[in-house]
Amino acid sequence: MQAKIKIEAKMESPDGSRPKNLRELGLDGLPNLAAVDWVGSTREALRSALDSDLPTSVMVGPDLRMFYNDAYAEILGPRHPDAYGSPFWDVLPESLPAVGVGLAEALDGRAVLMEDKGVLMEFEGRSEVRFFMSSLSPLRNDDGTVAGVLSLALETTRRVANQRERDENASRLHRLVDQAPGFIAFMRGPDHVYELVNASIVTLMGERPYVGLPVREAVPELAGQGFYELLDQVYATGTPFVGLGIPAMLRRSPAAPPEQRYMNFIYQPIFEDGVVAGIFVEGSDVTEQHLAQVEADRLNAELAERVAELREADRRKDEFLAMLAHELRNPLAPISAAADILARSPRDLARIGTASAVIARQVKHIVRLVDELLDVSRVTRGLAAVNLKPTDLRAPIMDAVEQIRPLVERLGHALEIRLPDTEAMVSGDSARLTQIAANLLDNAARYTAPGGRLQVSLEGSETTFSLRVEDNGQGIEPHQRARIFDLFEQGPRPSARTQGGLGVGLSLVRSLVAMHGGAIRAEGVESGPGSAFIVTLPRHSESPGEAGSSRTEEGAGPLKVMVVDDNVDAAEMLGMLLGAAGHRVVVEIDPGAAIERAKNEPQDVYLLDLGLPGMDGVELSARLRQLDGGAKRAFIAVTGYGHAHDRKRTAEAGFGHHLVKPVDTEQLLAILADLARLRQS
């Protein structure tokens, strides 16, 4: 409540006129001076206050009576002039919470400076908070005791209001900046000291000190990545920098390992009075988009490569069809001529014999072409079977030599054969091994000019045997060696090669070698032109009691076999077939039921379809192996999936064999016979 104070003396000049202000009254004309005991310091302070343009008051006496100047009177408003000479506590009681402590310190002899102290002041029935910057200085007697307090008060209400408005605007800006989806920062000065960062900066680079630190200190892991240098450049030149998809190694926390991120950002210089004062940074983390684009680019590149491969395959197909027409016309021409001879000379036995021999030879050539086509078709579709059993590799090699010898002799080649004196045992199909060697020898002979040199050698290591077929023919260019095994691929045909092929032989050889667990490669010959093909096959490790035949043998004993296939007809027919072969067979359609049955009725062999409902064959095999004794059981994949990656997947999952539907019955029975003998041994 506003204090109402009665001032006994009127404020008027000695001549009775009304003064304009306190300064005109002078020290002798002020009222209530006699109410206090003035000493030199207090009187001089009051004299100075009256002459000052700053709001100043002198409070003296035990009750701190207030004497002030005109500027201070403006602060008091309607409380003046009644306040003059009245105790401070009566004039401004509402200011005690703000200045009471300061007054106590000044009365205790210490100068006090108070900034922006808010005082609730009442004027004309309304209250408002006004802010002041005040200094309170003790006024002393001659003996050093405190006689009063000199107060200088500058009202800062407007400045405080303006500052609050700026703070609110800044706070609003910070909130908006924090809600921005991208990262934002403001750096000031040539050292790029952070003055503002938003939440996205913290998300990107972790919770760490930023504001008040130079960027080199706040984010030290950026050293050597070019970002400091870019900031220096923008600050020095005033030219903005825009970066798109720029990589950066950042830490999510000081202890975390560096992590590669990709960013779009701009360094925008901020000018003050025409010079660069700082840099505004705005950007976004585009790591996911960048990685998605990289993946899209990779897929597009793969697609382009695949398209190129398909076009190349289409080109080779067209060449193959042209070659097939050529190869078929060649034998058809002499057959047609021989038929004419037979028609025109029905009684000429010599001509009939010659024509018949021509027809027989050319038909044999056509049959060889057709067989080769059918064979490569079966192999590429995963329908070909190999009857693997212990085989001395020297025998099929010599069989191949005998098959090709007539061609070698007709072309006048010298053939050198180098085979070891001891057995070279591999696990193989003798007929297929002969086919491999014969194809390589046939190629070597046909692509070598008459009178050339051929060499067949066989060498062994601790784990493998290597068959090498070498010639001194036209050779294969290094860039062709990788694709020479592709289907329909052929090298340049020499003029001396009167009977060509279809370009499927080496592709067939590669597939047959792979079915034996081996590998093949082509290379040049050090001694000069020519080529060498090297087939590497694993040695056979014969188990005790292992026999040479892969057929089911009497006494080998039946096996307990479980067939799991969701195709009911296929499962039952396969079960009946194996049952007729003497094995004890159970059939399950559902993989879950198969697991439950296997718990109570463990089997010797599991024939699993891969495309089962709810649980594929690979997962089912893993579940079955977890059962008691499951690790000792044999697993055979019976599936419609026959690609190389399917075979690799089942091999890695522990399947001993991968059979493609429709299953070759003889091959399956041979596999089971081998398993039965192994169990018996």
Side-chain angles (χ1 to χ4, degrees):
M1 175 180 250
Q2 180 177 333
K4 299 296 183 181
I5 303 168
K6 176 87 171 161
I7 297 179
E8 298 177 357
K10 295 182 179 179
M11 287 190 178
E12 56 184 24
S13 299
D15 61 1
S17 62
R18 189 74 172 173
K20 294 181 179 179
N21 49 44
L22 295 170
R23 183 181 296 173
E24 290 184 5
L25 282 175
L27 191 60
D28 295 330
L30 294 174
N32 291 345
L33 288 181
V36 297
D37 183 18
W38 294 92
V39 296
S41 62
T42 55
R43 183 176 292 275
E44 288 305 315
L46 179 57
R47 189 186 305 277
S48 298
L50 291 175
D51 291 335
S52 175
D53 292 329
L54 298 177
T56 309
S57 72
V58 176
M59 292 174 279
V60 293
D63 51 359
L64 293 179
R65 292 179 178 268
M66 294 182 64
F67 299 89
Y68 46 84
N69 64 2
D70 294 298
Y72 202 96
E74 292 180 6
I75 294 176
L76 293 176
R79 302 186 189 207
H80 174 72
D82 293 345
Y84 211 85
S86 299
F88 173 82
W89 324 107
D90 295 336
V91 176
L92 294 171
E94 65 268 34
S95 68
L96 287 178
V99 301
V101 175
L103 273 175
E105 290 187 14
L107 291 171
D108 200 32
R110 293 187 297 275
V112 178
L113 177 65
M114 297 180 294
E115 293 190 66
D116 297 333
K117 285 289 186 178
V119 178
L120 180 64
M121 302 185 72
E122 296 183 5
F123 293 103
E124 299 177 355
R126 62 183 177 84
S127 299
E128 63 179 47
V129 177
R130 299 167 72 182
F131 293 86
F132 297 89
M133 182 175 70
S134 304
S135 67
L136 301 174
S137 303
L139 297 173
R140 299 181 182 275
N141 293 314
D142 293 339
D143 60 2
T145 59
V146 176
V149 175
L150 176 66
S151 172
L152 177 64
L154 296 176
E155 185 168 1
T156 58
T157 302
R158 181 172 296 178
R159 182 175 65 80
V160 169
N162 291 339
Q163 184 60 46
R164 284 187 173 179
E165 183 177 0
R166 287 194 296 272
D167 290 344
E168 289 177 2
N169 290 337
S171 177
R172 188 180 303 110
L173 176 61
H174 275 76
R175 289 195 299 272
L176 291 174
V177 167
D178 262 346
Q179 294 173 27
F183 56 82
I184 293 175
F186 177 74
M187 303 174 179
R188 181 171 290 277
D191 293 330
H192 319 300
V193 176
Y194 281 107
E195 286 197 349
L196 178 147
V197 297
N198 72 342
S200 293
I201 286 277
V202 178
T203 301
L204 179 66
M205 298 188 296
E207 192 76 47
R208 63 174 89 183
Y210 293 99
V211 176
L213 294 179
V215 65
R216 286 175 168 84
E217 185 178 341
V219 196
E221 66 265 30
L222 289 179
Q225 301 188 55
F227 292 95
Y228 302 154
E229 294 76 9
L230 282 174
L231 287 167
D232 292 340
Q233 175 183 322
V234 171
Y235 190 87
T237 64
T239 303
F241 176 83
V242 177
L244 299 176
I246 304 298
M249 296 298 293
L250 297 171
R251 299 179 187 273
R252 293 300 179 96
S253 69
E259 175 184 345
Q260 179 130 61
R261 310 298 294 176
Y262 293 86
M263 298 177 292
N264 292 344
F265 64 90
I266 181 171
Y267 288 161
Q268 177 66 47
I270 303 299
F271 292 87
E272 293 181 4
D273 298 326
V275 298
V276 178
I279 297 175
F280 176 74
V281 181
E282 189 275 331
S284 56
D285 183 355
V286 294
T287 303
E288 283 67 29
Q289 298 93 311
H290 174 84
L291 296 179
Q293 184 61 51
V294 169
E295 179 65 9
D297 292 343
R298 184 188 68 80
L299 293 175
N300 286 334
E302 286 185 0
L303 179 61
E305 183 179 353
R306 182 59 180 154
V307 169
E309 290 174 355
L310 291 173
R311 286 175 177 167
E312 177 63 15
D314 191 57
R315 180 193 65 78
R316 291 203 305 267
K317 178 207 66 175
D318 291 341
E319 291 182 357
F320 164 74
L321 292 175
M323 185 64 64
L324 177 61
H326 173 77
E327 292 293 334
L328 290 176
R329 286 193 185 99
N330 276 342
L332 288 176
I335 288 174
S336 177
D340 285 343
I341 290 174
L342 291 177
R344 295 174 185 275
S345 307
R347 293 185 176 84
D348 191 333
L349 296 181
R351 288 190 174 187
I352 291 173
T354 300
S356 298
V358 167
I359 292 173
R361 282 197 305 272
Q362 299 305 322
V363 168
K364 184 177 181 181
H365 178 61
I366 292 176
V367 169
R368 183 177 68 82
L369 292 176
V370 173
D371 285 345
E372 193 175 59
L373 276 176
L374 293 175
D375 215 1
V376 76
S377 173
R378 284 193 295 268
V379 169
T380 55
R381 290 161 56 205
L383 301 179
V386 288
N387 187 12
L388 302 179
K389 59 183 179 180
T391 303
D392 185 352
L393 189 54
R394 297 176 301 172
I397 291 174
M398 291 308 301
D399 288 344
V401 169
E402 292 307 313
Q403 285 185 24
I404 303 303
R405 192 179 295 279
L407 175 62
V408 172
E409 292 175 351
R410 179 164 57 83
L411 294 174
H413 295 319
L415 176 59
E416 181 182 358
I417 303 171
R418 296 180 182 177
L419 301 181
D421 296 331
T422 58
E423 288 184 338
M425 301 302 293
V426 298
S427 180
D429 184 315
S430 181
R432 293 298 193 182
L433 292 173
T434 298
Q435 189 177 7
I436 291 169
N439 264 286
L440 295 178
L441 278 168
D442 183 84
N443 255 25
R446 294 178 186 277
Y447 279 97
T448 301
R453 178 183 57 80
L454 311 181
Q455 184 183 89
V456 180
S457 61
L458 181 63
E459 295 182 352
S461 68
E462 291 185 3
T463 58
T464 62
F465 283 104
S466 294
L467 166 64
R468 181 184 180 93
V469 177
E470 182 179 315
D471 63 66
N472 65 343
Q474 68 186 60
I476 306 171
E477 293 295 329
H479 70 275
Q480 289 183 313
R481 290 173 190 163
R483 65 183 191 185
I484 196 69
F485 298 101
D486 292 345
L487 195 59
F488 309 139
E489 185 68 33
Q490 288 186 317
R493 175 175 296 206
S495 58
R497 185 178 177 188
T498 56
Q499 292 208 21
L502 300 177
V504 298
L506 289 178
S507 176
L508 177 61
V509 166
R510 179 177 63 178
S511 297
L512 293 176
V513 169
M515 293 172 71
H516 284 78
I520 184 172
R521 70 182 188 276
E523 59 184 37
V525 179
E526 293 182 1
S527 59
S531 303
F533 287 84
I534 300 92
V535 174
T536 303
L537 297 172
R539 278 180 178 267
H540 173 72
S541 299
E542 187 169 355
S543 302
E546 185 172 14
S549 172
S550 63
R551 302 288 181 180
T552 304
E553 295 182 0
E554 187 175 352
L559 294 171
K560 291 188 291 181
V561 181
M562 177 183 287
V563 177
V564 184
D565 194 330
D566 61 325
N567 186 319
V568 178
D569 292 339
E572 290 182 350
M573 289 301 99
L574 184 57
M576 291 176 63
L577 171 68
L578 298 179
H583 299 291
R584 298 196 292 273
V585 184
V586 294
V587 175
E588 291 291 346
I589 308 303
D590 178 70
I595 294 173
E596 292 302 317
R597 187 162 191 171
K599 291 179 181 177
N600 302 316
E601 303 176 32
Q603 305 294 309
D604 299 320
V605 183
Y606 294 90
L607 274 67
L608 308 181
D609 182 27
L610 294 187
L612 295 170
M615 180 191 308
D616 68 10
V618 170
E619 183 181 353
L620 176 57
S621 71
R623 298 278 295 275
L624 291 171
R625 281 191 182 87
Q626 293 173 358
L627 301 179
D628 185 28
K632 300 178 181 179
R633 312 306 178 188
F635 291 85
I636 301 173
V638 179
T639 177
Y641 302 112
H643 292 293
H645 64 270
D646 298 314
R647 296 179 182 277
K648 180 182 178 183
R649 180 169 176 248
T650 54
E652 291 174 347
F655 284 81
H657 300 274
H658 185 113
L659 305 182
V660 179
K661 298 177 181 180
V663 174
D664 185 315
T665 304
E666 295 300 320
Q667 181 187 9
L668 176 57
L669 293 176
I671 292 171
L672 294 179
D674 287 341
L675 292 173
R677 280 194 303 275
L678 287 173
R679 286 187 60 80
Q680 191 177 38
S681 63

